[in-house]
Amino acid sequence: MADRFPPPKLRIALLVYGILWWVLMPVILIYLWKRGRKDPLYSQHIAERFGRYPDPRSGAVWVHAVSLGEMRSATPLIRALLARGEHVVTTHFTPAGRREAEREFASEIAEGSVRTVWVPFEYGFAYRRFLTRFAPQYGLVMEIEIWPRMIMACRAAGVPLFMCNAQYPLKSYNKDKGGLRATLLAGFAGGFVKSQAQKDRFAAAGMSNIHITGELRFDQPVPQANLDAAARVRADLTNGRRTFTLTSVVEGEDQVYIDMIRQSRDACFIYVPRAPERFDEVAGMLRDAGIRFARRSEFLDADLSPAGPLPDVDVLLGDSMGEMYFYLGLCDRAIVGGGFVTKGAHNVIEPLALKKPVIVGPHIWTIEYPATEAIAAGVCQLVQTPAELHRAVNDPVPVTEDQITAFYDDHAGGVARTLEAIAQALPR
């Protein structure tokens, strides 16, 4: 690791950054307490956020997946690491990410090959405790997460820290260019990135030891039980209507989709909010709009079997987590949420895995890869306005299963490429 890092300007910024974290500690704890009133997991295991962990196991591979999307992208890679005999510690900042890890790896957690904990707060002492207790072989930070204390603590401890399944969205790249955030990228031991364009951006920002590995989500396992459950109820629930699943809908775009639903005739919709704390809010919006809907929790049991007669509704509100493939199994086509707010769209790969064509709104900078490629291949339709969305729903562009299969096969294999790249990138 180069002695020139960090440069003097960044050293000063890190000092100020550290002081701010100490000054803001009461605010941070109040934030967790307030979030904990809606989701109790936010305010649980607080000691872990300060680097105190019961029964750590040293020598793990460390995977940092801040929230739900990052954890899902990490899942196939973690499976491959476990198959090679590694044990894994996953760290998270949000309950959604932690719950997904606990759900996906429940048996491995029980047998001790996976540990799931909170990532430390940005304090040097907290990271020193974490790195001392777990002594990871190396760390993999999923997508693009830049935490200064994490980077500096790993460098000080000699733990190689890599960005994994990484992309540097053009909007962020242009904003960061020449700034301190971009400068921190040189602190990573390397990166495993999604495409040549991403490699070029990370390299221009100062990262070295970069490997093109593709997108891990193309290797995500599909839970067959979810698909079987969808097959059992699809005909009775949809009544032969064209059916669309709205995935990961975020705050700020609900009205676009509710207006679309009200204007669509002879269609059925599955409406899945991104965050569980929004389930009741979205239910209220649908009720106020006069839309006939039912909540998944009202008529399906824990095994996704009907608890009684299926309701005659136009919208099923997906008020559960970890069942996206069930909701996608019910539809003919998916509409990916996030595209009608500037924060950007979410994952298009899950519907494509089930050979479902995709519609996405104008803000795709967050999923530049593989959305741009999917649009070019004709398996993802980009709509710029609510009016275009309405036309896409009522007059869908034909997409064949062979088109989607060819696109998917062309982009699979990210796990194998990443494992090979890790072996090449680690210090010898």
Side-chain angles (χ1 to χ4, degrees):
M1 295 182 179
D3 293 335
R4 292 171 293 177
F5 186 88
K9 187 176 179 180
L10 181 56
R11 288 178 187 273
I12 295 170
L14 288 170
L15 177 62
V16 174
Y17 177 77
I19 293 171
L20 283 174
W21 267 88
W22 282 107
V23 170
L24 294 175
M25 182 187 287
V27 177
I28 296 165
L29 293 175
I30 291 171
Y31 166 82
L32 291 178
W33 175 74
K34 285 186 175 180
R35 293 301 299 265
R37 296 173 69 180
K38 289 186 176 181
D39 188 333
L41 194 52
Y42 267 109
S43 54
Q44 295 174 6
H45 311 290
I46 292 294
E48 293 180 358
R49 298 189 186 268
F50 292 94
R52 295 191 177 277
Y53 303 93
D55 303 319
R57 181 176 177 181
S58 64
V61 174
W62 169 28
V63 177
H64 176 56
V66 65
S67 193
L68 178 63
E70 292 82 2
M71 187 59 223
R72 285 178 174 167
S73 72
T75 293
L77 179 59
I78 294 173
R79 290 276 176 214
L81 289 167
L82 293 171
R84 295 174 63 175
E86 302 284 7
H87 58 281
V88 176
V89 55
T90 67
T91 58
H92 315 277
F93 192 81
T94 71
R98 184 167 182 152
R99 284 198 180 97
E100 177 67 7
E102 291 172 344
R103 182 195 65 79
E104 182 67 36
F105 296 102
S107 60
E108 290 81 3
I109 291 170
E111 69 185 24
S113 58
V114 174
R115 284 291 311 277
T116 299
V117 299
W118 291 132
V119 70
F121 282 148
E122 282 284 279
Y123 299 107
F125 75 88
Y127 271 106
R128 285 192 294 273
R129 286 175 178 168
F130 170 80
L131 295 172
T132 298
R133 299 283 278 170
F134 285 101
Q137 301 175 48
Y138 55 88
L140 301 172
V141 178
M142 304 308 298
E143 309 293 340
I144 182 167
E145 289 287 320
I146 303 174
W147 293 98
R149 288 296 170 209
M150 177 191 290
I151 295 168
M152 299 309 297
C154 286
R155 289 177 66 87
V159 175
L161 184 68
F162 299 96
M163 204 168 278
C164 185
N165 205 44
Q167 68 171 347
Y168 207 157
L170 185 59
K171 184 176 178 181
S172 297
Y173 172 75
N174 288 333
K175 181 181 177 181
D176 294 348
K177 196 179 296 184
L180 294 173
R181 178 177 149 93
T183 304
L184 279 163
L185 290 173
F188 282 89
F192 311 120
V193 305
K194 299 183 183 183
S195 68
Q196 182 64 51
Q198 303 304 324
K199 180 177 180 178
D200 293 343
R201 289 174 196 166
F202 280 110
M207 182 183 282
S208 59
N209 197 14
I210 306 172
H211 304 256
I212 301 172
T213 51
E215 167 63 74
L216 292 173
R217 285 186 179 93
F218 282 105
D219 293 355
Q220 249 182 336
V222 176
Q224 187 60 44
N226 276 197
L227 304 188
D228 293 342
R232 289 194 296 269
V233 301
R234 178 173 177 173
D236 290 338
L237 183 66
T238 65
N239 291 318
R241 294 172 290 178
R242 295 175 296 113
T243 303
F244 300 83
T245 294
L246 291 85
T247 73
S248 300
V249 179
V250 301
E251 185 176 5
E253 61 180 353
D254 296 285
Q255 200 56 53
V256 170
Y257 295 129
I258 289 173
D259 288 345
M260 175 204 67
I261 292 168
R262 294 176 66 183
Q263 296 174 53
S264 300
R265 303 295 179 187
D266 301 319
C268 179
F269 296 90
I270 319 299
Y271 199 117
V272 188
R274 174 75 173 173
E277 56 263 33
R278 298 190 64 240
F279 292 159
D280 291 342
E281 175 188 8
V282 173
M285 291 180 181
L286 293 170
R287 188 178 301 109
D288 292 344
I291 293 170
R292 299 188 308 155
F293 78 98
R295 299 174 68 139
R296 170 254 182 268
S297 59
E298 293 175 342
F299 69 94
L300 295 175
D301 62 20
D303 297 321
L304 292 169
S305 298
L310 293 176
D312 181 17
V313 294
D314 297 316
V315 173
L316 167 64
L317 175 58
D319 61 346
S320 66
M321 299 295 291
E323 295 176 346
M324 184 59 77
Y325 283 107
F326 166 72
Y327 296 128
L328 288 169
L330 297 171
C331 75
D332 304 302
R333 193 165 296 223
I335 302 168
V336 172
F340 280 95
V341 294
T342 57
K343 289 184 178 180
H346 292 286
N347 179 19
V348 300
I349 297 173
E350 289 175 340
L352 293 175
L354 301 188
K355 307 299 184 288
K356 312 282 186 178
V358 180
I359 301 168
V360 66
H363 298 288
I364 61 168
W365 65 274
T366 46
I367 54 166
E368 179 183 359
Y369 181 93
T372 301
E373 290 78 3
I375 292 165
V379 299
C380 178
Q381 183 179 0
L382 177 67
V383 296
Q384 297 290 346
T385 65
E388 287 185 19
L389 173 65
H390 185 229
R391 288 194 293 271
V393 167
N394 286 278
D395 188 18
V397 174
V399 181
T400 68
E401 186 171 310
D402 286 345
Q403 277 180 275
I404 301 176
T405 299
F407 173 78
Y408 209 88
D409 290 347
D410 284 346
H411 292 81
V415 168
R417 289 190 292 270
T418 301
L419 291 175
E420 182 179 350
I422 289 171
Q424 295 172 5
L426 284 171
R428 298 184 185 278

